Amino acid sequence: MEGPALTLLKEEAHAFIGKKIVEASGSSKVDWDTLAGQQLRQLQSWGKHFLLVLDNCTIRIHYLMFGNYYLNSRHPDKTPKLSLQFNDGSEWNNYNCAVRILPETDMSRLYDFSTDIMDESWNAAKAKAKLKNHPGMQVCDALMNQDIFAGVGNVIKNEALFRIAVQPESLVGALPPRKLTELLREAHTYSYDFYRWRKEGVLRKKYCVHQRKYCPTCDTLLVKKPTGELQRNSFYCPVDQVLYT
DNA sequence: TGCCATGTTAAACT
DNA sequence: GAGTTTAACATGGC
């Protein structure tokens, strides 16, 4: 689940803020007893980390690849990793995710929110400075690097690179200044498009290259291959996307 | 129907 | 002990 999906969850779950947890349970290894009785103070996210700030600790949820959640309902037969019951009878169930309790409620002490692509304080200049420190890094790895672009995942990587016509194995240090600027801008812009399209339920339909077969502009057969140190699949047009090395 | 994939962590190994 | 590789998690969609 990429960053923009968590921004959406923050909105969907907004009504839970202020409610008191009466019971917490699930198959995660968590000290459940400490959670009951606490009030949900805030919902925050950093990159792909979802944060439920309580009175004296914070629940951190990472939905990994296949995680999902049910608000005020539950999966018919699966056991939640984390199930929260609230004082008004509402419930929040989370599946296939990694759950941890952070002994801290001030998230600004743990996270630099200006590296989060979806945060209002997102700082492109800071990301640019980090990129300058890694001239030999491939752009596919740079975009997936959570210390530089927190929240960007494989879909955003592939789609943003298509938009700026850059081949995923291009080296950060070889990008012309204009392309570097486009990279920073499009990582941000595409993330918001991702958010909007997911909200409208049309995200998959909007993919230009990710999990696609042919280039939407020139009809060339797209290349699908694992790239970079991370070896995550890249989808790109061998004609339209330029390799800078 | 079998296989791949929106991701990360921790154990196992060198 | 540091650095690197592998396993684990677990399921909807093509």
Side-chain angles (χ1 to χ4, degrees):
Chain A
M1 206 179 273
E2 302 191 29
L6 299 192
T7 302
L8 201 53
L9 173 54
K10 267 189 286 188
E11 290 179 10
E12 291 172 349
H14 189 263
F16 284 82
I17 296 173
K19 295 181 182 182
K20 187 192 274 189
I21 297 171
V22 291
E23 196 192 339
S25 61
S27 59
S28 300
K29 271 190 282 179
V30 163
D31 186 4
W32 300 111
D33 296 340
T34 63
L35 301 180
Q38 295 201 57
Q39 196 177 352
L40 177 59
R41 295 292 180 181
Q42 257 192 96
L43 294 176
Q44 292 182 277
S45 65
W46 178 86
K48 299 164 189 170
H49 297 207
F50 195 78
L51 306 162
L52 292 85
V53 182
L54 309 181
D55 292 319
N56 54 41
C57 66
T58 298
I59 304 173
R60 190 193 76 185
I61 303 175
H62 197 301
Y63 290 96
L64 305 176
M65 289 237 241
F66 324 120
N68 63 356
Y69 53 83
Y70 285 60
L71 301 178
N72 293 320
S73 61
R74 54 174 53 235
H75 191 282
D77 42 49
K78 276 181 285 200
T79 306
K81 287 273 184 174
L82 167 68
S83 176
L84 298 173
Q85 312 295 319
F86 292 89
N87 55 320
D88 64 348
S90 59
E91 62 177 330
W92 182 344
N93 297 299
N94 303 275
Y95 303 86
N96 306 330
C97 53
V99 179
R100 264 187 60 184
I101 306 300
L102 310 177
E104 171 71 66
T105 56
D106 180 1
M107 292 301 102
S108 67
R109 289 164 59 94
L110 302 183
Y111 297 102
D112 176 1
F113 286 93
S114 71
T115 64
D116 181 341
I117 199 82
M118 295 301 291
D119 198 274
E120 59 185 10
S121 68
W122 153 252
N123 188 333
K126 194 177 270 187
K128 189 175 193 171
K130 289 176 186 167
L131 290 175
K132 295 279 187 193
N133 288 331
H134 301 285
M137 189 183 271
Q138 297 185 8
V139 293
C140 55
D141 285 330
L143 279 169
M144 297 285 282
N145 187 317
Q146 299 301 296
D147 292 328
I148 306 175
F149 296 102
V152 169
N154 210 29
V155 172
I156 296 171
K157 177 198 82 179
N158 285 323
E159 295 294 314
L161 287 175
F162 173 73
R163 282 188 173 185
I164 66 171
V166 170
Q167 206 267 18
E169 292 166 304
S170 297
L171 301 182
V172 168
L175 290 182
R178 188 179 296 134
K179 280 294 168 193
L180 188 63
T181 303
E182 285 181 33
L183 178 73
L184 293 157
R185 191 192 64 213
E186 213 54 55
H188 185 257
T189 304
Y190 186 84
S191 294
Y192 277 87
D193 286 338
F194 181 117
Y195 161 80
R196 193 176 74 248
W197 288 332
R198 187 177 160 107
K199 189 172 184 171
E200 296 166 358
V202 298
L203 178 63
R204 199 178 294 268
K205 277 194 292 188
K206 296 288 187 180
Y207 291 169
C208 288
V209 289
H210 186 78
Q211 300 291 11
R212 296 262 179 217
K213 189 95 177 160
Y214 301 102
C215 176
T217 50
C218 73
D219 227 26
T220 301
L221 186 65
L222 296 173
V223 174
K224 171 192 178 181
K225 76 167 180 181
T227 61
E229 297 209 345
L230 291 171
Q231 288 290 292
R232 296 295 304 278
N233 266 332
S234 284
F235 293 82
Y236 64 92
C237 175
V239 175
D240 291 337
Q241 294 178 245
V242 179
L243 176 64
Y244 299 92
T245 54

